[in-house]
Amino acid sequence: MKVIPLKLEDAKIIEPVVHGDHRGFFMESYNEQIMKENGIDHAFIQDNQSLSAEAGVIRGLHYQLNPKAQTKLIRVLSGAIYDVILDIRKSSPTFGQWVGVILSEHNRRQLLVPKGFAHGFCTLVPNTQVLYKVDEYYSPKNDRGIMWNDPALGIDWPTSHAILSEKDQKHPALADANINFD
Ligand SMILES: Cc1cn([C@H]2C[C@H](O)[C@@H](COP(=O)(O)OP(=O)(O)O[C@H]3O[C@H](C)C(=O)[C@H](O)[C@H]3O)O2)c(=O)[nH]c1=O
């Protein structure tokens, strides 16, 4: 497994070992021991899966408030996404900064999203399925969002016509968001 650090501290790209042969491939998509050996030690307790039928679906930017903040380990089963994480840790030197990475069924890359980050993605192709592990249960009362197109962030979403949920059309800008991460 290869771990690639990102400019936002604690966020990482993970590249599992892929065993290809004439039939296709096999990979251990998650191995707790190998993760721990690479300094990634989270007690993931819930697996999530979403399907987006069209390209241009944007889900996010979501986070759960403390004490229900989630670490997320994101991967793409089919299709491709432009995955974005935003640092919302108030004391972080990279507060308000974001990075975008492409995760796809072809690059098989995974993204580790630490607590204190808002997370979202834009699908790049139809019928994209995203799987992710979280280390805290879903908590509707702590579920929050930041507007995907906050002008202060300038996220370069790869779509000219975002397909959004009702909820994702109504989030506040970062400057107005309820954040309780130090
Ligand atoms: C997140 C979640 C949702 N739900 C229910 C709540 C709604 O009835 C339905 C759809 O939820 P939502 O519209 O929040 O789903 P997404 O827009 O895909 O949001 C997710 O995608 C972005 C990119 C994230 O990073 C978040 O983890 C997560 O919020 O599933 C559950 O039952 N359990 C859950 O853990």
Side-chain angles (χ1 to χ4, degrees):
M1 181 174 89
K2 186 175 168 188
V3 179
I4 303 165
L6 291 169
K7 73 173 186 177
L8 303 181
E9 196 179 354
D10 304 327
K12 299 174 171 61
I13 286 174
I14 293 155
E15 292 184 344
V17 173
V18 179
H19 305 282
D21 63 25
H22 63 284
R23 300 166 301 171
F25 76 87
F26 180 93
M27 70 178 185
E28 292 181 358
S29 50
Y30 181 76
N31 180 309
E32 183 178 278
Q33 182 177 329
I34 295 175
M35 287 284 188
K36 285 182 177 175
E37 288 167 359
N38 284 273
I40 298 167
D41 186 0
H42 302 281
F44 292 115
I45 55 174
Q46 178 178 309
D47 278 358
N48 296 330
Q49 179 172 342
S50 69
L51 166 68
S52 301
E54 302 295 332
V57 169
I58 293 182
R59 297 173 184 255
L61 297 161
H62 299 158
Y63 61 97
Q64 291 193 167
L65 291 170
N66 278 323
K68 295 293 182 183
Q70 295 172 315
T71 307
K72 300 173 185 173
L73 182 60
I74 318 282
R75 70 188 182 100
V76 169
L77 183 64
S78 58
I81 61 173
Y82 181 66
D83 206 334
V84 173
I85 57 173
L86 170 68
D87 190 348
I88 55 175
R89 299 168 298 188
K90 291 177 180 168
S91 60
S92 167
T94 55
F95 175 82
Q97 292 186 32
W98 57 272
V99 292
V101 296
I102 291 178
L103 307 180
S104 77
E105 64 178 280
H106 299 298
N107 71 19
R108 301 181 197 112
R109 284 182 146 192
Q110 303 183 18
L111 181 61
L112 183 75
V113 185
K115 296 177 194 289
F117 280 73
H119 173 247
F121 63 79
C122 177
T123 57
L124 301 176
V125 296
N127 299 315
T128 287
Q129 292 198 67
V130 179
L131 304 177
Y132 51 112
K133 293 181 173 299
V134 293
D135 66 351
E136 191 53 68
Y137 291 117
Y138 177 54
S139 171
K141 75 182 177 100
N142 290 288
D143 193 24
R144 294 292 186 281
I146 291 166
M147 71 188 291
W148 63 283
N149 58 349
D150 181 347
L153 301 177
I155 296 172
D156 60 349
W157 297 109
T159 181
S160 55
H161 181 72
I163 301 169
L164 300 155
S165 66
E166 281 290 312
K167 179 181 78 168
D168 284 349
Q169 296 179 41
K170 300 172 186 162
H171 296 310
L174 174 60
D176 305 319
N178 175 359
I179 290 170
N180 65 1
F181 302 100
D182 295 332

